[in-house]
Amino acid sequence: MASLTAQSASMANMANMANMANMANIANGGGPVASRQSLSAEAISAAASGALVLSRDGVSGYFKAPTQVPGHLAFNDPENLNLWDSGLRISAVRQEIFDALTFKGTTGKAETVAFKDGTTTILEITRPSMAEFHAQLALVHAYSDLRLDRANEILAQIGEIMSFIGQPLSLHPQRHSKTIEFLFAGVGAVIEMEKPLKHAMATRRPFELSAQIQPMITTPAHSAFPSGHTMEAFAMAEILGGIVRPHDVALHGATGPETDPKSYRQQMLAHAARVATNRVVAGVHYPLDSMAGSLLGLTLGRWVLARATADDPKTHRFAVSQHAFESTGFDPDKYKEYLVAPSDDKRQEIQDFSLPELLDHFDQNGTATGYYRKLDAPTQATTLPLLSWLFKQAQAEWRMGEG
Amino acid sequence: MPYHWTTPRDFSGDPFVDWYRTLDNRDPAPLMETWLPFSIFFPPVGEELQFAARVDDILNGLNNLDVFGLHAINIHDAFHWLHSAFIYRDQVSELIVFLRSDLSTSPTVDLDYIADELLVALSGDAAARELVSISAAGIALQAPGLAGNKHNERFSKGFGEDLAAAIDRTSTGGAASGREGTPMVISAVIDHGIPTLNTRFAKGARSTRILGHWVQGEGTAGDTVIGTEINQASIDNELVVVDTRPGGASVWGRPSISRKPGNRPYLSGDTPLALSSTHGAMVLDLAAGQDAAPQGGTAWNILAVDLPPQIVRQTNGTHLDPYVKSAMNWIFWRVEREKASGHRASVVLSYAFGGYSGRRDGHGGLDRDFQLRLDRGEITSLCVAAGNGYLEDVHADLAHSGITASAPLELVIPPGSVAPTFAQLWFEDAPDKMPFKLDCSPPGTLCSFGPLKSGECVDLVSECGGEAIARAYFLKDTPQGAAPKIAEGVARGRLVIAIAPTAAEAATAPVGCWHLRADSQALPKPLPIWIERGDSVSGFERDRHQARFDHATHQRFLQNGRPDEGLAAGAVIRRAGTLNDAANAEAVIVVAACRGVGGEHSIAPYSAAGGGAVPRMPDLCTLAEFSTARPNRLAVGTGSSATRALNGTSAAVAIAGRMAAEFLLDPKNAGLVGTPAAGPKVRDQLLAAPQPVQDRPPQSNVASPPERQGAGLAKENFPVRTARR
């Protein structure tokens, strides 16, 4: 009888420990990162944990503290992140980004918000008029021609786009683990920042403006503008392009990432553009959402790179590129008149998303088109230590052999 | 609902117009108005019917042909005849104008010039546009500029200039130099969705083999004709951009060429190069794609014409002929310029379009034109697809003894189709009057008409009133293109039954089994009837469906679920006689499709047959499919690195076109290029030592009849890589 009681108590202990292990996992976050954490260290089965308790009881003996006192780990040293679990590392790096970048309204400009690094405006975005979105319905309808052709991609990209953007790099969870970590930190921050922006912009989805759009997938419940998929895809492509830049340059020359369509960066940006277009084809976004999302993704991705490389003389030091997205040249009133009584003098140009035009603006200092505008000349940033440390770790995964 | 056939109350009210307009108005996108709505269903010449005062001479010409009276000019037929009148009124004249119909009311455009027949070749670059006119009065070439294109301005410059001088002045080298240019084999296609910048059509990263690409469907605001010509230099420029500009080719190819006509945004119905695979990409790749330059000194170049998407979408081909004829005019003009530069050139045209209905006696609209061009040597070798209609149940013998009151021929009208259905009943002779009354009844009714006299027309209306839901008319069909030599062909009686769409905003026809039965004791035999093609094609909205015949004795599927591919010759519904209606000229090479698995070859199940009421048969077949499990041939997709699997007699005809081109490219045959002997030699080569092709299961151990395979499987001699492509 006594032994039975002891056994019951032991089982209860094991169950408790199992619960604790689960809670630790939950605290570390969900998704793919969480599954990696349980592989790494902290998770342990209830049976194994109970066994460890018994084993220690049988081995450790009477407690006596060591006689020597060691030194601390270096204070606030990013190198300490080497010792961390990857999920917690990602949290720490991501929080560093949140501390540096703020999101707020722009004084004196209606329906305009900005991302700022200190006092420097990185990105300023103004909500287009309702008429502009209305005018884009014709394009959304036209793109529906491609639904059957793009269905596989559209469905796959509902939940996951890293496989597409990273396709030129063939990302591997073990070989490129730090690269993926950096993406989770950098793009993860962009994903979080996109939410208050969408909240502020509060634009209607295509299905709300026309009963005939009839999207082929469930329309997300939040604001259409800017496209979140596009923002994430372009941020991911830009950040990955920065990480693999030495490899890219070795293959395509010093300016290859900016000028060669066959470079890794360009190929990834092309995938990002296709993701953007697929969302329009599906009927859940306007091309205008893609235009804004792509500029936002590129700009924030570039800012992450700038803050990660600012103090490293051994790598390409990215500069902060500052941009604005605002409507010019579209007259909403004339457009409304045109709908009632079409005439050439009232016709408004309806702009479609175009990757070459975007890159002409972003990379080549091309002339400003309808919505893109540069704010200031690129500026050098100061480093974010944890972000910088993780970037070096990631870039080390892409070293090219000498000669 | 009770219906009855009746004489139309208003002859000028053509239900076809309304039906087409219904289609036209389905897409209200404001940007579409620049040219699409009118030119879809009212190609310019058709639109001219609305301006009779300006085209009196044309209509008089038609009346002289005695093809129809003034009672009912159906859009469905008018285009063919009008263009016949254009082309053949004078053998010197060759020419077709496509004018944007919205400009017909423009104060800046004078339409009188239509009386002077024109060939228009336009460049997308306004500064380099050309306007060529050829008439009995001489040859005129004006460049640049069609903007502000009034009649008087157009002809005030350069009119009367000698053709040779005009060609010489605009050619790349100049005949006057006496220079002997490179022998040149030109593979030409008239198709849809041609990816101009695909590297399979280049001879390097920045240099194309395409001499010119006429995108007929990509008009821009301000153009006076339909389409834009993209010349070799501008394609080269675009290739440089694609090769160097960041993001340039990444998603769409260059927008100005492939995606956004005139740099406007993508619109529904544009050339579908945003799709991963197009018909034009497949056909041109199989006909002329290459990874490396061929051996020898003969250049291999390409001329490509993109038919307008609105015309391609109209699969019954109502509006196809004028565009194809224009395309051949343009090809002729382009080749003449190369010849003027000192090149000896042979042209191999692969034509993979067509339909299910027509004269099929060699005197149809395109048949006559194909023959004429081959006779003149404009085209060295012209390969035409046999067609894919073998199993479509679109052909029957209305005089068959099995068709009785209790077992009529059934015309199955599909639901949800935005296109009208047309059935054509052909007579061997040209009676003044149909020799029978025709029971033609919607489901659940019994109504009949006739016998109609030539030129008479009846509409099917509900006794409750409303618009006509069907029209039937009987005509003497004059061989198209015979004027003024009308004696060369035989006029034949033709009864057309047109049934409204089943999904439309205007009149809609009842779906289901309509009954057809000729009521006479002495029917002409046979009395062949065909249904025009009416399905949707790949890459287009799937809003059209194919009507078909059925009968009490017809078994569409065998007990094992396979289609009944071996219908007996005496059956009501016929397999023989399903050959493509554009594949009946004597001198073209008609190409059927064959499947090759493990060294054994059998005819492809869909590959159409000649014979029966159709005298023409395929000349040969080529390998359009490998494997039974995944029958296809690999060809390029729209992207340069893409590979897609496709089949059909479209693939077969392109393979034949490639064989013809590669024969001429052989260094041993360099002397043949550009000579009159080239065409016959190509034919001899393709028909040399053909392999026998087996019939389809369950008769797979016997030879396929000549009505399907022609002489047999032409022997390919491609490298392995190309063969699989």
Side-chain angles (χ1 to χ4, degrees):
Chain A
M1 196 65 177
S3 65
L4 183 63
T5 305
Q7 193 176 2
S8 298
S10 172
M11 286 173 70
N13 283 341
M14 285 192 283
N16 282 340
M17 288 185 186
N19 282 340
M20 288 171 66
N22 282 339
M23 287 173 67
N25 275 341
I26 291 165
N28 285 338
V33 180
S35 66
R36 288 198 58 236
Q37 285 164 352
S38 27
L39 290 173
S40 64
E42 296 185 11
I44 188 167
S45 74
S49 183
L52 290 174
V53 171
L54 288 176
S55 178
R56 175 181 180 271
D57 287 348
V59 168
S60 71
Y62 175 74
F63 179 75
K64 182 185 178 193
T67 56
Q68 303 297 314
V69 179
H72 267 306
L73 292 170
F75 182 73
N76 199 23
D77 186 349
E79 289 297 327
N80 296 336
L81 288 178
N82 259 325
L83 308 175
W84 286 37
D85 170 78
S86 70
L88 299 178
R89 260 196 312 256
I90 290 167
S91 291
V93 175
R94 197 184 290 174
Q95 185 57 42
E96 194 181 44
I97 294 173
F98 291 145
D99 288 345
L101 202 62
T102 56
F103 170 74
K104 57 184 69 172
T106 298
T107 309
K109 290 187 79 171
E111 300 190 349
T112 301
V113 294
F115 287 100
K116 296 195 174 196
D117 182 352
T119 58
T120 305
T121 300
I122 306 301
L123 193 62
E124 189 175 276
I125 179 165
T126 303
R127 183 165 76 163
S129 68
M130 196 67 215
E132 284 164 280
F133 288 106
H134 189 278
Q136 296 243 315
L137 283 174
L139 291 179
V140 179
H141 161 69
Y143 274 105
S144 68
D145 285 357
L146 309 180
R147 284 184 183 175
L148 288 177
D149 199 55
R150 300 290 183 90
N152 286 347
E153 293 170 53
I154 289 166
L155 294 175
Q157 288 163 356
I158 288 174
E160 195 267 325
I161 60 172
M162 192 162 72
S163 302
F164 294 87
I165 309 301
Q167 196 173 2
L169 298 170
S170 193
L171 289 178
H172 188 284
Q174 272 80 48
R175 176 174 171 174
H176 304 128
S177 62
K178 291 293 196 297
T179 300
I180 293 171
E181 261 188 56
F182 193 86
L183 280 185
F184 274 110
V187 180
V190 170
I191 292 171
E192 294 304 317
M193 288 186 284
E194 145 199 330
K195 301 301 184 294
L197 175 57
K198 274 178 170 279
H199 172 71
M201 290 294 144
T203 56
R204 296 180 187 278
R205 294 278 179 170
F207 82 88
E208 295 177 84
L209 299 191
S210 166
Q212 292 178 284
I213 295 301
Q214 301 175 16
M216 60 177 282
I217 56 175
T218 305
T219 302
H222 48 268
S223 168
F225 180 87
S227 161
H229 268 70
T230 307
M231 204 167 155
E232 295 154 25
F234 274 86
M236 192 178 288
E238 180 67 4
I239 289 172
L240 277 173
I243 293 171
V244 305
R245 189 176 180 92
H247 192 97
D248 215 358
V249 166
L251 289 173
H252 299 101
T255 61
E258 282 74 41
T259 58
D260 187 347
K262 306 299 189 290
S263 66
Y264 284 100
R265 176 175 178 263
Q266 297 283 331
Q267 292 282 305
M268 289 189 288
L269 288 171
H271 275 292
R274 195 166 169 100
V275 169
T277 301
N278 284 346
R279 300 292 286 177
V280 179
V281 172
V284 298
H285 275 291
Y286 312 91
L288 196 52
D289 302 338
S290 307
M291 294 171 72
S294 56
L295 183 68
L296 283 157
L298 271 181
T299 306
L300 292 177
R302 177 63 63 89
W303 177 84
V304 167
L305 292 175
R307 287 292 233 154
T309 59
D311 72 341
D312 187 355
K314 294 179 183 172
T315 192
H316 179 82
R317 295 169 71 183
F318 290 92
V320 176
S321 192
Q322 300 148 253
H323 302 269
F325 185 91
E326 61 185 338
S327 173
T328 55
F330 188 97
D331 186 332
D333 294 331
K334 277 193 174 176
Y335 173 73
K336 290 172 190 169
E337 292 170 16
Y338 178 85
L339 287 179
V340 179
S343 66
D344 282 344
D345 62 321
K346 293 173 191 162
R347 190 195 299 276
Q348 301 295 301
E349 185 182 1
I350 303 172
Q351 292 208 14
D352 199 355
F353 169 58
S354 159
L355 179 62
E357 285 172 13
L358 172 72
L359 295 183
D360 264 359
H361 165 79
F362 194 85
D363 283 345
Q364 310 289 344
N365 288 315
T367 51
T369 53
Y371 288 91
Y372 304 139
R373 184 165 61 84
K374 289 198 172 170
L375 287 173
D376 282 307
T379 55
Q380 286 300 323
T382 55
T383 195
L384 291 176
L386 304 189
L387 186 71
S388 175
W389 177 85
L390 187 54
F391 183 84
K392 291 188 184 79
Q393 302 288 313
Q395 201 164 56
E397 293 174 345
W398 297 94
R399 275 196 297 262
M400 280 292 264
E402 295 300 322
Chain B
M1 187 181 290
Y3 293 94
H4 66 277
W5 290 96
T6 182
T7 304
R9 289 185 299 270
D10 178 5
F11 287 118
S12 64
D14 182 352
F16 294 88
V17 174
D18 289 336
W19 297 345
Y20 286 129
R21 277 200 194 285
T22 301
L23 296 175
D24 164 15
N25 291 333
R26 280 185 309 122
D27 194 340
L31 288 178
M32 298 288 279
E33 73 188 27
T34 52
W35 67 270
L36 296 182
F38 292 106
S39 51
I40 297 170
F41 304 111
F42 298 101
V45 176
E47 180 73 357
E48 293 320 303
L49 291 172
Q50 313 294 322
F51 299 90
R54 290 176 169 167
V55 291
D56 278 348
D57 58 330
I58 297 171
L59 291 176
N60 287 336
L62 289 169
N63 287 332
N64 291 339
L65 298 181
D66 193 27
V67 288
F68 50 69
L70 293 175
H71 58 281
I73 299 172
N74 288 286
I75 296 290
H76 177 246
D77 291 307
F79 300 130
H80 301 296
W81 286 318
L82 281 167
H83 282 279
S84 298
F86 267 130
I87 293 173
Y88 293 100
R89 191 169 48 182
D90 181 341
Q91 289 294 308
V92 177
S93 301
E94 182 60 29
L95 309 164
I96 295 173
V97 172
F98 278 146
L99 181 76
R100 261 180 44 202
S101 56
D102 56 326
L103 295 179
S104 62
T105 54
S106 166
T108 60
V109 175
D110 187 337
L111 287 178
D112 290 347
Y113 76 94
I114 280 184
D116 300 289
E117 295 158 51
L118 299 173
L119 169 75
V120 177
L122 277 189
S123 164
D125 177 2
R129 282 177 180 158
E130 297 165 1
L131 175 69
V132 184
S133 73
I134 307 178
S135 72
I139 311 301
L141 178 105
Q142 181 196 341
L146 290 175
N149 213 354
K150 283 201 69 177
H151 169 84
N152 292 336
E153 295 171 18
R154 180 179 298 125
F155 290 103
S156 64
K157 300 176 184 175
F159 190 73
E161 185 176 357
D162 177 70
L163 174 61
I167 290 172
D168 190 47
R169 186 159 55 77
T170 57
S171 63
T172 51
S177 68
R179 175 171 59 84
E180 171 72 0
T182 316
M184 188 181 280
V185 173
I186 298 173
S187 289
V189 296
I190 301 170
D191 215 285
H192 183 60
I194 294 164
T196 315
L197 302 183
N198 195 297
T199 52
R200 290 277 293 171
F201 314 131
K203 54 190 172 189
R206 301 182 180 188
S207 177
T208 185
R209 295 156 55 219
I210 300 176
L211 300 173
H213 179 198
W214 183 12
V215 188
Q216 288 186 330
E218 297 199 346
T220 57
D223 280 349
T224 50
V225 297
I226 291 175
T228 301
E229 184 198 86
I230 307 165
N231 62 29
Q232 190 172 23
S234 59
I235 296 171
D236 284 350
N237 289 340
E238 296 292 348
L239 283 171
V240 171
V241 172
V242 165
D243 198 39
T244 55
R245 181 179 179 176
S250 51
V251 184
W252 303 97
R254 281 285 291 138
S256 62
I257 283 186
S258 60
R259 177 190 172 205
K260 295 194 291 187
N263 287 323
R264 62 169 169 70
Y266 181 84
L267 290 179
S268 184
D270 278 349
T271 302
L273 293 184
L275 296 170
S276 62
S277 173
T278 63
H279 190 267
M282 173 192 77
V283 169
L284 185 55
D285 184 43
L286 291 178
Q290 67 169 14
D291 293 328
Q295 301 295 312
T298 305
W300 192 9
N301 288 313
I302 293 167
L303 285 170
V305 180
D306 246 303
L307 293 164
Q310 295 76 19
I311 302 307
V312 176
R313 186 168 67 175
Q314 194 83 6
T315 48
N316 72 352
T318 295
H319 305 129
L320 186 62
D321 291 8
Y323 291 86
V324 174
K325 290 173 181 177
S326 269
M328 288 191 289
N329 285 339
W330 175 81
I331 289 168
F332 165 70
W333 172 245
R334 279 279 150 210
V335 173
E336 285 303 305
R337 292 184 61 175
E338 297 302 329
K339 288 178 179 173
S341 301
H343 295 291
R344 286 185 289 117
S346 284
V347 182
V348 178
L349 173 61
S350 302
Y351 184 69
F353 277 63
Y356 295 159
S357 293
R359 289 185 66 100
R360 287 198 170 95
D361 57 4
H363 297 293
L366 280 183
D367 291 332
R368 297 282 298 202
D369 213 39
F370 286 160
Q371 185 70 41
L372 186 69
R373 290 165 194 280
L374 286 162
D375 289 347
R376 287 177 179 171
E378 287 179 22
I379 295 172
T380 307
S381 185
L382 205 166
C383 301
V384 183
N388 302 330
Y390 187 74
L391 293 175
E392 296 294 322
D393 295 338
V394 290
H395 175 35
D397 178 10
L398 196 60
H400 195 282
S401 58
I403 297 176
T404 64
S406 58
L409 180 63
E410 294 177 349
L411 171 58
V412 184
I413 300 296
S417 186
V418 300
T421 292
F422 297 94
Q424 298 183 10
L425 197 155
W426 283 86
F427 295 79
E428 285 301 307
D429 55 359
D432 293 329
K433 182 179 174 184
M434 280 167 56
F436 53 84
K437 214 169 96 179
L438 189 72
D439 166 14
C440 180
S441 312
T445 67
L446 186 62
C447 42
S448 60
F449 63 81
L452 298 178
K453 292 178 188 168
S454 177
E456 276 188 336
C457 166
V458 287
D459 282 357
L460 183 64
V461 295
S462 163
E463 291 180 0
C464 303
E467 296 179 53
I469 57 161
R471 165 171 285 191
Y473 53 95
F474 180 59
L475 297 168
K476 289 181 188 176
D477 188 286
T478 306
Q480 294 171 29
K485 299 176 183 175
I486 196 166
E488 283 186 0
V490 178
R492 291 171 60 191
R494 176 163 66 101
L495 175 72
V496 175
I497 303 165
I499 297 174
T502 53
E505 293 171 9
T508 54
V511 303
C513 297
W514 291 50
H515 289 181
L516 296 176
R517 188 173 68 90
D519 183 9
S520 169
Q521 297 300 314
L523 287 176
K525 293 187 178 180
L527 192 50
I529 183 168
W530 286 271
I531 304 172
E532 294 186 10
R533 190 174 174 188
D535 57 345
S536 296
V537 284
S538 174
F540 288 80
E541 206 172 348
R542 298 181 180 193
D543 54 5
R544 291 148 195 266
H545 307 287
Q546 179 66 48
R548 62 178 174 83
F549 287 125
D550 208 343
H551 185 258
T553 60
H554 179 49
Q555 182 176 243
R556 296 187 74 197
F557 299 100
L558 302 172
Q559 287 189 339
N560 63 8
R562 301 175 72 98
D564 185 352
E565 298 178 23
L567 280 186
V572 174
I573 293 173
R574 299 294 173 88
R575 301 285 192 234
T578 50
L579 201 67
N580 176 4
D581 65 2
N584 294 276
E586 184 184 349
V588 301
I589 297 171
V590 182
V591 186
C594 164
R595 176 182 297 173
V597 180
E600 295 188 353
H601 304 105
S602 61
I603 198 76
Y606 46 79
S607 188
V614 176
R616 193 70 160 87
M617 296 184 191
D619 291 299
L620 52 89
C621 53
T622 63
L623 269 171
E625 300 180 344
F626 299 89
S627 152
T628 302
R630 199 171 179 222
N632 62 64
R633 186 113 190 182
L634 298 182
V636 77
T638 48
S640 284
S641 56
T643 304
R644 291 291 180 271
L646 299 155
N647 62 8
T649 53
S650 296
V653 76
I655 293 293
R658 184 183 199 92
M659 293 166 74
E662 296 211 345
F663 170 72
L664 291 169
L665 286 164
D666 188 323
K668 295 196 296 287
N669 299 321
L672 263 182
V673 176
T675 68
K681 287 281 187 188
V682 166
R683 179 179 280 271
D684 291 346
Q685 172 67 20
L686 292 181
L687 293 173
Q691 291 178 256
V693 169
Q694 293 174 342
D695 207 355
R696 294 279 305 154
Q699 292 88 20
S700 56
N701 57 343
V702 300
S704 182
E707 288 85 348
R708 296 197 75 187
Q709 67 162 318
L713 176 65
K715 187 182 176 189
E716 277 183 33
N717 196 25
F718 303 149
V720 173
R721 183 190 65 249
T722 312
R724 186 53 182 149
R725 273 196 183 276

